[in-house]
Amino acid sequence: MADQASGSGTEAPTGRSGLLPILLAMAMFVLVVDTSLMNVSIAAVVRDLDTTTSGVQSAIALEALVSAAFILIGGKVGDLIGRKRAYVLGLLGYAVGAAAMTVAQGLGAIIVFWAVIGGIGASLLLPAMQSLIHGNFDGAMRTKVYALVGAAAAIAAAVGPLLGGFITTYLSWRLGFALEVLIIAVVLSGIRLVRNVPYTGPRGIDLVGSALSVLGMGGIVLGILVWQEGGEAVGALLAAGAVALGSLVYWLRRRTRLGKPALLDPGLFESPYFRLGITQQMLQQIALGGTMIALPIYLQMVLEYSAMQAGLSLAPLSLSMFAVALLAGKKAGDRRPSSIIRLGFLLLALGIAVLIPIVPRAEFGWALLIPLAVAGSGLGLLVSQLNNYTLSPVTEERASEAASVNSAAGSFGLSFGLAFAGALMLATLATTFTSQAESSTVLPPADQQRVAQALENNAQVMSNAGLAELLVDEPPAIQEEILRINTVARPPALQVALLVPLAAALLGLLNSIRMMRFREPKPSGAGDVALGG
């Protein structure tokens, strides 16, 4: 698989410039639709594989965790072996994960092939793809391709719940992952159109920095996952992750002072544009991850929707995200990207804030239409602007490092949002189950603790209909009381989970006010302001 080096310019040749952006957008489509398919198919996967909701939820968060933990290394690997080759290996890793989902017979296969191998594939694919966009296109064309790839992510968010819901309800959730393999095959068939972007920086390997990056980002999200599963040593894992991240910063600065190869150049963070951009990228993904783990579970487990109904209920969020991202990419004109980003976080915060009090009162999914559409519009504005704002000013030599950090911020944010919102939801369920059971005047005192423990272990994977089947041998009064507790506990748990994306959106809004104080960054291709210069 030889790398193609065709010419010295940064603009793709005219004959292929129309098809190459489409193929890159298709690669991004697969990345986003994969998790979206899994989210909307949770109930079917749990049922078919005879596993638990928390187990599948943990696999979803683990996939994002692996990609976040290894993404800085993935960017460096792309520097050493070639960004084009890393791009291909990333696609193949994702294909292995999707293919495994079509034949998986248990949660173990999902964890190994989809979460771990697929996550490593993402860690190679994301920085390589962003570096290839940076190196294959220039000026206005580069901006358009970033917008197109952002729109592809929005399309995937829109199509994923609908396509996944339809396929899961009427065919099989496995078919959705088989379609992913087909799309990857189409993308790989056009790999000759991609020109490799050579790396001219130091080629040494920073093993200590690589290990610290994995321990830092991985430790924090792993600690939240362990908390979510009711495990021990949560504080130790979180502390270890925080110490590792702090040590990584010290190590990178020390290596740079000594003139030795480092995992990445800390000078990247000297630019306020870059610091603000990656922070906003992380906050946007925290909000998206928190929303997309809580709502599908609520719709399928509380309202007892099929996957198709859940997908349709989420359509206002995903379709408005797609439409606004596409429109903003075309119509932004001379508007300041920072002002569009500010509006995006404002709409996102507004939509989620309105959603929270509606949840306990909603008797059907479409009652969430307006707040979901508002939040989706905000996400669409962010998707259309953030990558270009963050990466456009980066010089060619630092493109891969910057893309790796940008992707790491996004992947870490997504995994953190998925894990933290899910953990808060399950912790609130457990607390409410216990308090409701212990205060019940219907349950006999001897049964209160037993029922509380049973609900804590099983209610998050059971709809009321499923729970009723398990209670068929209990007296009618006991059945009614347990179902009442199950019903009362769920809406507050979702409300608490939605506080995670709300907090991320509000922090993003505050951050965007800081962005407005700076002049807009100028693309490095124009020879003006280089990142960190």
Side-chain angles (χ1 to χ4, degrees), residues 39-271:
N39 277 329
V40 81
S41 304
I42 284 177
V45 174
V46 168
R47 181 180 63 251
D48 291 353
L49 301 186
D50 191 25
T51 185
T52 64
T53 298
S54 60
V56 177
Q57 185 179 341
S58 294
I60 293 171
L62 179 62
E63 192 270 347
L65 165 63
V66 170
S67 65
F70 287 93
I71 206 158
L72 293 179
I73 301 174
K76 195 63 178 180
V77 169
D79 290 342
L80 298 176
I81 69 174
R83 283 111 179 222
K84 180 178 176 179
R85 188 174 284 116
Y87 174 72
V88 171
L89 289 175
L91 284 169
L92 291 175
Y94 242 76
V96 167
M101 290 298 295
T102 66
V103 296
Q105 298 301 310
L107 186 60
I110 295 178
I111 290 173
V112 173
F113 294 103
W114 183 79
V116 176
I117 295 180
I120 292 173
S123 72
L124 288 169
L125 180 57
L126 275 167
M129 179 169 27
Q130 294 186 20
S131 295
L132 289 172
I133 293 173
H134 192 283
N136 278 258
F137 303 96
D138 201 2
M141 187 62 186
R142 181 192 294 168
T143 303
K144 289 180 181 178
V145 175
Y146 274 128
L148 178 63
V149 171
I155 292 171
V159 170
L162 296 172
L163 179 64
F166 177 83
I167 291 175
T168 301
T169 301
Y170 299 111
L171 298 168
S172 168
W173 54 271
R174 299 180 188 272
L175 181 59
F177 293 98
L179 291 174
E180 284 187 35
V181 178
L182 181 61
I183 294 173
I184 292 173
V186 172
V187 173
L188 288 173
S189 71
I191 196 62
R192 291 182 179 274
L193 297 176
V194 181
R195 186 183 64 252
N196 189 42
V197 181
Y199 174 66
T200 58
R203 303 187 67 83
I205 300 175
D206 180 7
L207 294 177
V208 174
S210 300
L212 288 173
S213 73
V214 172
L215 292 173
M217 290 186 288
I220 291 176
V221 178
L222 182 60
I224 298 172
L225 287 175
V226 171
W227 173 41
Q228 176 180 305
E229 290 297 308
E232 299 178 354
V234 173
L237 285 170
L238 293 175
V243 169
L245 283 178
S247 300
L248 175 62
V249 173
Y250 168 78
W251 176 260
L252 293 176
R253 288 176 175 171
R254 181 173 180 272
R255 296 278 288 186
T256 303
R257 283 198 308 269
L258 295 174
K260 295 181 179 180
L263 181 63
L264 57 92
D265 183 1
L268 280 170
F269 299 92
E270 294 173 4
S271 166

Side-chain angles (χ1 to χ4, degrees), residues 280-350:
Q280 297 293 68
Q281 184 80 259
M282 181 176 66
L283 291 171
Q284 179 222 344
Q285 290 297 317
I286 289 174
L288 180 61
T291 302
M292 294 309 292
I293 197 66
L295 288 179
I297 291 176
Y298 173 74
L299 291 167
Q300 294 181 70
M301 300 301 175
V302 179
L303 299 185
E304 301 190 23
Y305 276 11
S306 67
M308 181 63 185
Q309 290 172 312
L312 287 172
S313 298
L314 292 173
L317 177 75
S318 49
L319 291 176
S320 60
M321 181 178 171
F322 161 56
V324 172
L326 202 59
L327 189 64
K330 290 181 178 179
K331 303 293 185 182
D334 295 330
R335 294 177 180 85
R336 295 184 64 185
S338 55
S339 67
I340 297 176
I341 291 169
R342 181 179 60 179
L343 178 60
F345 275 113
L346 175 62
L347 291 176
L348 178 58
L350 228 108

Side-chain angles (χ1 to χ4, degrees), residues 480-498:
E480 290 179 10
E481 180 66 1
I482 293 176
L483 290 175
R484 182 194 68 79
I485 294 173
N486 198 33
T487 301
V488 167
R490 293 174 185 272
L494 177 67
Q495 288 178 303
V496 170
L498 287 174

